[in-house]
């Protein structure tokens, strides 16, 4: 028995420092201390076969070896844990002086920037947002807007018809009708959205964005329209910018006007941007045609209103000096990056 105990001691001492993980040390520990199969546990179990008078002394020796082994394994395990932790810390070390890897930051598209700016300007004047749908019926896009059957705007070359009676809206003006059908004056809405036309060159795209405004109430006059336009132009193009109304024609307004702003590039002296005229055309507007009000059940004797519509890409192109509308749709990050703030 004594020999067996010394053998166990020797075996443990010989190998205990060769382990570098708690896991392998634990496996080694089991060889001696496993409750059922461990060499020391088996010796304990064999105690019953030892002559009675020797039993206390042998039992004591086994216990001593057991205590010794337990504390040695515990201490070694602590050391290994410490080493493991040190290894982990070393492997996860962060060099705080190392330059950071640069991440690319996204930014808003110039069209979105302008659209947001326009919405903010009109919202600050009390306009509510109405978003219509891109698929419209012929009635909302044309008929209710006083655009007769034989109007050239209905031509297949301009309008994308989906099926008889259904089309991709060619103007956000369609939103005016939806709003006036559903609500009564006072009405003050802004309707932003995409519109579609079969048109394609440096300044036209088959899909572009518009923003439509509509104000209907008692006593609304051209003066209200002009006042609002002055404020709007200065906010979007800068202080000192003036507006000018030129007679025009739209089926849904009477009178209709084309709105110019004084050139914010040259201050009105004449330059490339304003083609030497000192003025830049920015939007269409007018007093809501009485037939349009009637179509929506609003009495034109009691109420009047003004409406306006502008192309968002056009405003973005003017504001940022972009000369080809296509650059706004190409998703070229070298172009878009220039607008990131
Ligand atoms: N819908 C017109 C267009 O697409 C723009 C427009 C002009 C809207 C005059 C209006 C307006 O509300 O009064 O060209």
């Amino acid at each position: 028995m004594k020999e067996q105990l010394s053998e166990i001691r020797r075996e443990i001492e010989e190998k205990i420092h060769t382990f570098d993980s708690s896991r392998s040390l634990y496996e080694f520990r089991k060889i001696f201390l496993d409750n059922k199969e461990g060499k020391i546990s088996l010796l304990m179990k064999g105690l019953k076969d030892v002559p009675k008078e020797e039993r206390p002394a042998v039992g004591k020796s086994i216990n001593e070896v057991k205590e010794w082994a337990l504390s040695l394994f515990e201490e070694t395990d602590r050391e290994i844990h410490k080493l493991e932790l040190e290894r982990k810390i070393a492997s996860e070390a962060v060099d705080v002086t190392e330059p950071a890897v640069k991440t690319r930051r996204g930014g808003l598209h110039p069209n979105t920037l302008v659209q947001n700016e326009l919405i903010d300007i009109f919202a600050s004047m009390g306009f509510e947002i109405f978003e219509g749908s891109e698929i419209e019926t012929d009635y909302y896009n044309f008929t209710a807007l006083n655009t007769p059957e034989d109007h050239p705007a209905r031509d297949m070359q301009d309008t994308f018809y989906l099926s008889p009676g259904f089309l991709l809206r060619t103007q956000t003006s369609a939103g005016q009708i939806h709003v006036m059908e559903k609500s009564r004056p006072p009405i003050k809405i802004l309707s932003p959205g995409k519109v579609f036309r079969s048109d394609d060159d440096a300044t036209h795209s088959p899909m572009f964005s518009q923003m439509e405004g509509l104000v209907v109430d008692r006593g609304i006059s051209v003066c209200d329209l002009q006042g609002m336009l002055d404020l709007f132009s200065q906010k979007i193009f800068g202080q000192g910018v003036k507006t000018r109304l030129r007679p025009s024609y739209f089926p849904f307004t009477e009178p209709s006007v084309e709105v110019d702003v004084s050139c914010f590039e040259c201050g009105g002296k004449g330059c490339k941007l304003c083609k030497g005229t000192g003025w830049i055309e920015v939007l269409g507007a007018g007093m809501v045609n009485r037939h349009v009000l009637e179509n929506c059940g609003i009495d034109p004797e009691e109420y009047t209103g003004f409406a306006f519509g502008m192309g968002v890409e056009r405003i973005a192109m003017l504001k940022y000096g972009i000369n080809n509308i296509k650059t706004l749709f190409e998703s070229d990050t070298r172009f878009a990056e220039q607008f990131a703030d």
Side-chain angles (χ1 to χ4, degrees):
M1 185 70 82
K2 265 223 170 86
E3 262 166 42
Q4 278 175 308
L5 283 171
S6 342
E7 175 60 21
I8 287 173
R9 261 182 188 270
R10 214 184 41 73
E11 234 183 292
I12 294 176
E13 273 167 349
E14 194 181 279
K15 285 212 180 135
I16 185 109
H17 293 302
T18 63
F19 300 99
D20 66 349
S21 75
S22 321
R23 176 92 217 142
S24 51
L25 182 71
Y26 178 70
E27 292 300 326
F28 183 57
R29 184 186 191 276
K30 275 196 339 198
I31 299 176
F32 307 96
L33 291 163
D34 184 80
N35 275 346
K36 274 193 201 143
E37 316 256 300
K39 289 184 179 178
I40 298 176
S41 315
L42 291 176
L43 286 182
M44 275 293 193
K45 277 180 197 151
L47 208 54
K48 61 179 189 313
D49 305 324
V50 172
K52 213 173 169 195
E53 53 290 1
E54 288 174 31
R55 237 179 253 168
V58 174
K60 198 172 165 226
S61 320
I62 300 175
N63 261 332
E64 272 168 13
V65 172
K66 188 178 176 184
E67 292 301 318
W68 167 82
L70 277 172
S71 72
L72 183 62
F73 272 107
E74 229 165 75
E75 191 188 319
T76 313
D77 193 47
R78 265 201 302 275
E79 279 165 18
I80 290 179
H81 261 296
K82 221 172 112 192
L83 281 176
E84 279 179 338
L85 189 65
E86 276 166 15
R87 272 205 304 262
K88 190 164 184 252
I89 289 171
S91 75
E92 289 173 3
V94 174
D95 178 359
V96 290
T97 64
E98 197 177 322
V101 181
K102 280 207 174 139
T103 48
R104 283 166 70 92
R105 251 183 85 211
L108 292 179
H109 189 275
N111 226 27
T112 312
L113 287 173
V114 168
Q115 181 152 326
N116 290 350
E117 197 179 342
L118 291 170
I119 290 175
D120 284 350
I121 292 173
F122 287 109
S124 76
M125 296 186 209
F127 283 78
E128 278 178 56
I129 306 293
F130 170 83
E131 274 182 293
S133 54
E134 289 169 11
I135 294 178
E136 267 301 353
T137 61
D138 191 278
Y139 176 77
Y140 285 98
N141 196 81
F142 292 128
T143 315
L145 285 161
N146 201 35
T147 309
E149 287 278 327
D150 54 357
H151 195 282
R154 290 186 166 217
D155 200 300
M156 293 292 275
Q157 278 157 17
D158 282 310
T159 308
F160 291 114
Y161 279 92
L162 300 171
S163 61
F166 287 93
L167 45 85
L168 292 178
R169 69 176 168 196
T170 61
Q171 49 189 0
T172 43
S173 308
Q176 290 185 25
I177 307 301
H178 288 288
V179 171
M180 286 195 282
E181 274 184 351
K182 280 196 209 80
S183 42
R184 297 293 92 184
I187 288 169
K188 199 172 185 184
I189 59 105
L190 184 73
S191 185
K194 290 195 179 75
V195 297
F196 307 84
R197 283 181 208 178
S198 182
D199 216 350
D200 201 6
D201 60 33
T203 52
H204 296 89
S205 155
M207 186 278 292
F208 61 104
S209 316
Q210 275 192 340
M211 212 160 274
E212 184 84 11
L214 173 72
V215 174
V216 183
D217 203 353
R218 288 193 180 93
I220 297 290
S221 74
V222 181
C223 297
D224 298 301
L225 172 64
Q226 172 95 60
M228 187 224 67
L229 288 170
D230 280 342
L231 189 59
F232 155 75
S233 307
Q234 294 188 6
K235 284 196 174 183
I236 191 91
F237 295 117
Q239 282 289 314
V241 167
K242 293 200 248 335
T243 55
R244 170 176 93 170
L245 306 187
R246 270 184 298 110
S248 184
Y249 170 77
F250 297 104
F252 34 88
T253 42
E254 181 57 39
S256 301
V257 291
E258 210 75 69
V259 181
D260 299 339
V261 293
S262 56
C263 181
F264 42 85
E265 192 77 10
C266 63
K269 286 198 268 320
C271 66
K272 222 172 117 198
L273 184 68
C274 59
K275 299 188 185 93
T277 65
W279 294 92
I280 300 172
E281 185 188 315
V282 287
L283 57 96
M287 298 306 292
V288 181
N289 190 304
R290 58 185 295 125
H291 297 310
V292 176
L293 293 173
E294 278 163 0
N295 288 341
C296 301
I298 293 176
D299 181 1
E301 296 302 327
E302 192 178 351
Y303 294 106
T304 49
F306 67 73
F308 57 91
M310 68 188 90
V312 177
E313 285 79 2
R314 176 159 172 78
I315 307 276
M317 288 168 78
L318 288 170
K319 215 175 139 69
Y320 296 123
I322 299 166
N323 54 20
N324 191 325
I325 195 168
K326 298 294 178 307
T327 51
L328 287 168
F329 300 116
E330 280 167 355
S331 305
D332 185 335
T333 50
R334 288 168 305 178
F335 168 76
E337 261 165 14
Q338 300 171 52
F339 303 91
D341 49 13

